[in-house]
Amino acid sequence: MTAISSSRAFPKAAVVAAFVAVGALGAVGLAAPARAETWNFEVRLDGKPIGTHRFTVDGPAEARDVTSKAAFDVRLLGITVFRYRHEARERWRGDCLQEIHSRTDDDGKPVEVDRRLEPTAAGEATCLMSYAYWHPALVRQQRLLNPQTGDVDEVRIERLPDASIPVGGRDVDASRWRITSTSTATSAGKSPPARQVLTLWRDRADGRWIGLDAQVKGDRLLTYRLP
């Protein structure tokens, strides 16, 4: 899930500088390629299947490529009442997002993000993550880039009690975190920033991302589960 936004009833989706030193490029060239990791989530709204969201993380830590693709259709009496499509491509260097390109169709409202994270005016590199649920260091972040809007969200991340979650037909002991995000403050006279609450699930045995929940508009629950 890209960042899951709830200005509507569904996620606006969780996705990224080209300050590449010659020495670092050398390191990338020598690093052994890493095996791609893939997550194919089933997405449900209040327990009813509405679509899928696939994430792939590929390449060594020094130069990762991350892709995601989501397709949701909410039907009522056989008629589609909401349609959501989202695709994103990210490039990472270490723990830092460098470049992001995303395209979203939020029930007929198109949004595109095309952004590179450039060094600051003082020449310092900007190190920022997107909603990279797969990344172990996500839970230590205070700001995340929203892959659907391109905005930087303020986030508060709290550890929750462990619990279990079904994965592949069996219950798995999991660690949980609550992620509360608020989009960047708006100027006077505009609507207040949207607030979003997510629950991140990770396998307690190895830390792998295994689920995600989001409270969306109307107190409805959006869930990501691995089949």
Side-chain angles (χ1 to χ4, degrees), residues 121-140:
E124 298 174 347
T126 300
C127 187
L128 187 67
M129 289 188 174
S130 61
Y131 283 77
Y133 305 108
W134 51 272
H135 198 300
L138 175 81
V139 297
R140 299 194 296 270

Side-chain angles (χ1 to χ4, degrees), residues 25-41:
L25 277 174
V28 172
L30 293 172
R35 180 175 60 88
E37 287 192 86
T38 300
W39 293 259
N40 287 301
F41 286 105

Side-chain angles (χ1 to χ4, degrees), residues 199-221:
T199 300
L200 171 64
W201 297 76
R202 287 183 175 164
D203 191 320
R204 203 168 64 181
D206 58 12
R208 180 178 165 82
W209 176 30
I210 53 176
L212 192 70
D213 302 337
Q215 294 291 337
V216 297
K217 190 175 180 179
D219 288 329
R220 308 187 77 178
L221 180 63

Side-chain angles (χ1 to χ4, degrees), residues 12 25 31 48 53 102 120 125 134 140-141 154 159 161 163 167 173 202:
K12 278 184 178 177
L25 277 174
K48 298 180 180 178
H53 201 156
S102 73
T120 66
W134 51 272
R140 299 194 296 270
Q141 306 306 301
E154 304 291 335
R159 181 70 187 267
V167 178
D173 293 336
R202 287 183 175 164

